[in-house]
Amino acid sequence: MTPSLRVPTDADVEDVARIMSEGWPEAVDAGQVRQAWASPGFDRERDARIAPGAYVHVEALDRDRVWINLRGRPSTALVDWAEGRARERGGRILCGSWAANESVLEELRRRGFRQIRHSFRMSISLEDEVPVPVVPAGVRLRTFEDGDERSFYDAQLEAFADTWEPIDHPYDEWAHWLLDTPSFDPELWFLAEVGGAVAGFAICRVHPGNSDLGWIQILGVRRPWRGKGIGRALLLNAFRALRARGLRRAGLGVDAENPTGATSLYESVGMRVVDRFELYETEHT
Ligand SMILES: CC(C)(COP(=O)(O)OP(=O)(O)OC[C@H]1O[C@@H](n2cnc3c(N)ncnc32)[C@H](O)[C@@H]1OP(=O)(O)O)[C@@H](O)C(=O)NCCC(=O)NCCS
């Protein structure tokens, strides 16, 4: 192993959180690092390295895609290691960074990665009163109750089938990220129901690394119910709930060319783009 790279240990968790927060729009806390290290199929020994001022882990998004999660100010040696590990795991290799992290993006281009897509961070201030949502007739909004887990999961898989290259996590992995975490907050999970059927949902939380930030993790409306104002109602309802918690802003990430018009929806409720993530893929496989 290159001497300056090593496997991170439990004692590095705070350092890794600090490095992961650098140049990122939201701070990452130690709990998020531990959660990533405990995720199904992740092997810290084989999949993660820390170096002075930089950290990387390589994770399988699914059978065909590998994600290089590159943070801080990575050396060529660190990126070499990550690319090697990604090739070993097999499949398409994806990586990226925020538009301002030009040195990281330049390093990727130099290695034959090409930009394939970009996404936005969008944000809204919750300082002012949020309008009461107009809930379409026949739609009931309610929060999570025990036994709803699969309803959220199934609705998410179905709604996101219409997005660009969705990641279909198996249920256990989905539950690891969303339910088995201290930030799981059933009062911030919302279902829109029509006659007992799930029409849409919003999964939100207080951002673990940023105590003033409400985070819209996942929003979806199933196809038959789209274009009726359910997405907007779920979003405004979420903003109001987050504001009632005393949070000062709400944020989310969205594919810039979301084929179902999500960016227009977010703009229409007053959200604004605050950052841009550049997604790259290697041309060499
Ligand atoms: C994005 C999504 C949640 C919108 O839900 P929805 O219930 O159809 O949205 P609404 O009916 O409340 O739409 C409200 C506004 O959004 C915009 N909008 C919604 N769908 C749109 C589309 N296909 N094209 C352009 N704008 C659209 C419009 O501004 C609309 O305002 P209008 O009613 O005055 O025209 C839904 O299409 C969906 O689940 N998509 C797949 C999953 C996804 O992409 N989720 C977001 C990921 S970040």
Side-chain angles (χ1 to χ4, degrees), residues 242-259:
L242 295 167
R243 185 171 190 271
R245 293 285 183 92
L247 302 176
R248 301 179 58 207
R249 56 198 175 106
L252 51 76
V254 57
D255 171 21
E257 293 161 53
N258 179 294

Side-chain angles (χ1 to χ4, degrees), residues 203-279:
I203 297 178
C204 314
R205 63 177 177 172
V206 178
H207 194 287
N210 305 260
S211 57
D212 69 335
L213 175 64
W215 197 246
I216 318 290
Q217 274 185 289
I218 309 165
L219 172 79
V221 173
R222 293 171 64 203
R223 207 182 292 160
W225 286 286
R226 288 191 191 147
K228 302 176 193 304
I230 295 177
R232 175 179 282 142
L234 280 163
L235 204 50
L236 291 175
N237 181 63
F239 291 165
R240 288 175 69 83
L242 295 167
R243 185 171 190 271
R245 293 285 183 92
L247 302 176
R248 301 179 58 207
R249 56 198 175 106
L252 51 76
V254 57
D255 171 21
E257 293 161 53
N258 179 294
T260 60
T263 45
S264 309
L265 167 60
Y266 301 148
E267 275 163 3
S268 80
V269 294
M271 300 195 86
R272 294 292 168 257
V273 172
V274 289
D275 219 328
R276 175 186 162 113
F277 191 86
E278 313 282 356
L279 180 62

